[in-house]
Amino acid sequence: STVSATPLAPPAAPTNLAATAGNAQVLLTWTKSSAATGYEIHRGTSSGNLGNIADVGNVSTYTATG
């Protein structure tokens, strides 16, 4: 027997990303993509130097500290 599979396209990126500075923290907010099941937050000093700091699930806000 033959088995085949068709990969699904990735969900659209979130929209309306905003960052609000606070005291040693930043609040990130965004509009969720309807097809997304969760989000990862990355930060770094350049686009080629990013680290994953949080897997936040299917939410639309995150407060980064430190």
Side-chain angles (χ1 to χ4, degrees):
S1 75
T2 301
V3 175
S4 64
T6 303
L8 298 174
T15 57
N16 302 315
L17 176 62
T20 305
N23 185 14
Q25 65 185 26
V26 62
L27 171 65
L28 304 174
T29 60
W30 58 89
T31 301
K32 298 189 294 185
S33 167
S34 62
T37 59
Y39 295 94
E40 296 178 358
I41 307 297
H42 298 256
R43 72 175 170 199
T45 57
S46 66
S47 62
N49 185 25
L50 299 177
N52 183 2
I53 62 168
D55 293 320
V56 297
N58 195 16
V59 298
S60 60
T61 65
Y62 177 76
T63 300
T65 58

